[in-house]
Amino acid sequence: MKIQTGHGTMTLTALLAIYSISMVTSLPGLAISPILGDLQNIFKDASDLELQMLESLPSFIIVPFILLAGRLSVKINKKRILIIGLSIFFGCSVIYPFSNSLWLLLVVSALLGVGAGMIIPFSTGLIADNFSKQYRTRQLGIASSITNITLVLATFLAGVLADINWRYAFLVYCLSGVSLLFAFKLKSTPVVAPQTSPTPANTMPDRTKHNWPVSLMFLYYFITFLVLTVPFNLSIYMETLKFKDPDISGTFISVFFLAMTVPGFFINNIINRFKNYTNVITTAAIAVGFVLFLMKGGAVLLTLGVILVGLGYGCMQPIIYDKTSTSTTESHATFALALVMAMNYVAIITYPFILEGLQGIFSTDASYFPFLLSTILAAAFAVFTYFKRETKTLGIEVQS
């Protein structure tokens, strides 16, 4: 079976190989969350910081290695970098269950971050290399959806495995073995679109080729920072409002991640339907979702809130990836995407510190303030996108 790319075809096996990379990018840190309680009992002398580092260390390590892998991709064979990264990741998944000491778990977690960082840029970079126009937009949407739905399923699987034995939770990382096998099916040299006439991208002077997509990096950081309010604060929010079963927050968070997966499968249809207003509508959906949190209603309003926020973010992800890949020369697309994707992990790392600082300044309710802040920021950004809604502003490519 041949898949249309916009300038030729590729095999279904190669496409599945690219999809499998998107599946791996959501895995780092997943196995630790459901077993933190067990680890506190197993490693009784460990400090809270050491245990928290098991969960956060991969994210710290991922950022520099995303940038390194993206930069190396400009000069080194991408398939080789990808296979090295997947080999490190899969090796860690094998070592994890046999780690009997906290220091060894920390070392393996750091190595996992190294491997993940070397993989992540190629989940979108290979799509930018092999697809063009609406075909690229569609595949970036699907890749985003695969990442998000894997997050939901792998989190559930890690919890089930942890109930059997805390060591088994690490087996979710073995999914990287599937990606490693598929990676060998990729071509060493990606398909390159034929150039029939010069374009602004390939006629730029050399000095512009290395420019960082700063505005897109900031945009991705900003949008990610907003929506992190849901998984980071929902549990405390529900306890404060005295929900009958605060533990159900995990279900709402799963609904949030599931909502993020839906737009990616229909991103071209969404863009064609709303055209220049796509960014306005998606950011407005996020803002309205947070307004529903401020109403302090019941489960129905809460469900609608997490769905709207998830749908909005699920739309923005592939749009930002698509704009990034088209705003630079083809040879630097993976590097540009690496810079933008690194902002996801920078947001995850910095969110708790920024929020704690703002709560200290305003001396406000820790359960309610994050949702109020996100509402104000999302609404302000929706207004901004309304007045800057030309397609070139945030990179929507309206398909005919």
Side-chain angles (χ1 to χ4, degrees):
M1 181 179 178
K2 296 294 183 179
I3 308 298
Q4 292 294 327
T5 65
H7 46 67
T9 60
M10 72 185 307
T11 65
L12 178 60
T13 302
L15 182 61
L16 290 175
I18 296 174
Y19 286 165
S20 70
I21 299 167
S22 299
M23 180 179 67
V24 172
T25 59
S26 63
L27 296 179
L30 282 184
I32 299 297
S33 298
I35 63 172
L36 273 178
D38 293 327
L39 294 177
Q40 286 177 331
N41 295 325
I42 295 167
F43 304 109
K44 295 181 179 179
D45 295 332
S47 65
D48 290 340
L49 177 61
E50 289 174 322
L51 293 173
Q52 290 168 1
M53 283 295 289
L54 284 173
E55 191 171 14
S56 60
L57 186 59
S59 294
F60 281 98
I61 302 295
I62 280 172
V63 173
F65 279 91
I66 284 180
L67 302 179
L68 177 62
R71 194 69 190 94
L72 290 175
S73 70
V74 177
K75 297 182 179 180
I76 298 177
N77 184 283
K78 297 177 183 180
K79 179 178 177 180
R80 183 181 306 170
I81 301 171
L82 177 61
I83 289 176
I84 291 172
L86 285 169
S87 298
I88 295 172
F89 196 105
F90 181 67
C92 291
S93 71
V94 174
I95 298 172
Y96 256 129
F98 300 100
S99 302
N100 294 315
S101 61
L102 185 60
W103 72 266
L104 183 56
L105 286 174
L106 287 168
V107 170
V108 179
S109 294
L111 288 174
L112 187 80
V114 172
M118 296 178 69
I119 297 166
I120 289 169
F122 301 105
S123 63
T124 52
L126 289 175
I127 293 174
D129 286 339
N130 289 283
F131 292 87
S132 64
K133 299 181 180 178
Q134 72 267 28
Y135 299 96
R136 179 188 58 240
T137 308
R138 179 172 183 270
Q139 294 301 332
L140 286 170
I142 293 173
S144 296
S145 295
I146 290 173
T147 298
N148 294 327
I149 200 167
T150 303
L151 179 62
V152 177
L153 297 177
T155 301
F156 172 76
L157 179 59
V160 171
L161 292 172
D163 287 339
I164 301 172
N165 187 299
W166 70 271
R167 297 177 186 276
Y168 293 170
F170 295 110
L171 294 177
V172 295
Y173 295 146
C174 289
L175 290 172
S176 59
V178 176
S179 302
L180 181 58
L181 292 175
F182 269 121
F184 288 99
K185 300 292 184 180
L186 291 170
K187 291 183 178 180
S188 295
T189 304
V191 179
V192 178
Q195 298 293 335
T196 56
S197 61
T199 64
N202 58 28
T203 56
M204 289 180 181
D206 288 345
R207 62 184 175 83
T208 63
K209 294 182 180 180
H210 302 284
N211 285 353
W212 287 25
V214 176
S215 60
L216 290 165
M217 291 169 67
F218 175 77
L219 174 61
Y220 197 33
Y221 175 89
F222 176 77
I223 293 293
T224 302
F225 184 92
L226 286 182
V227 302
L228 283 174
T229 298
V230 175
F232 275 48
N233 300 284
L234 186 58
S235 178
I236 298 174
Y237 173 87
M238 294 181 68
E239 287 181 6
T240 303
L241 293 183
K242 303 188 185 306
F243 270 70
K244 293 180 180 179
D245 184 9
D247 292 336
I248 203 174
S249 62
T251 302
F252 283 107
I253 292 172
S254 295
V255 171
F256 165 69
F257 286 121
L258 284 172
M260 285 168 52
T261 70
V262 175
F265 292 113
F266 308 100
I267 191 63
N268 279 344
N269 304 84
I270 293 170
I271 291 174
N272 287 331
R273 175 67 179 84
F274 298 117
K275 296 182 170 58
N276 297 6
Y277 288 89
T278 303
N279 290 312
V280 179
I281 291 171
T282 53
T283 51
I286 295 174
V288 172
F290 281 120
V291 168
L292 295 178
F293 281 95
L294 299 185
M295 295 174 68
K296 298 182 179 181
V300 174
L301 288 183
L302 204 57
T303 302
L304 290 174
V306 297
I307 289 175
L308 285 173
V309 175
L311 289 175
Y313 187 68
C315 282
M316 290 301 295
Q317 270 187 320
I319 288 173
I320 293 171
Y321 295 157
D322 189 43
K323 175 57 178 177
T324 303
S325 65
T326 58
S327 63
T328 186
T329 55
E330 187 174 89
S331 61
H332 288 73
T334 301
F335 179 48
L337 284 162
L339 293 170
V340 171
M341 296 181 78
M343 293 300 101
N344 176 74
Y345 298 92
V346 174
I348 292 172
I349 293 168
T350 58
Y351 180 90
F353 299 102
I354 293 176
L355 188 64
E356 185 178 354
L358 290 174
Q359 286 175 172
I361 292 172
F362 293 103
S363 301
T364 187
D365 180 6
S367 64
Y368 189 70
F369 175 75
F371 296 95
L372 176 61
L373 175 66
S374 294
T375 301
I376 294 171
L377 293 176
F381 189 68
V383 173
F384 171 79
T385 55
Y386 176 78
F387 289 105
K388 295 287 185 180
R389 62 187 180 277
E390 296 84 357
T391 58
K392 63 182 181 179
T393 303
L394 293 180
I396 300 176
E397 181 179 333
V398 180
Q399 309 298 342
S400 60

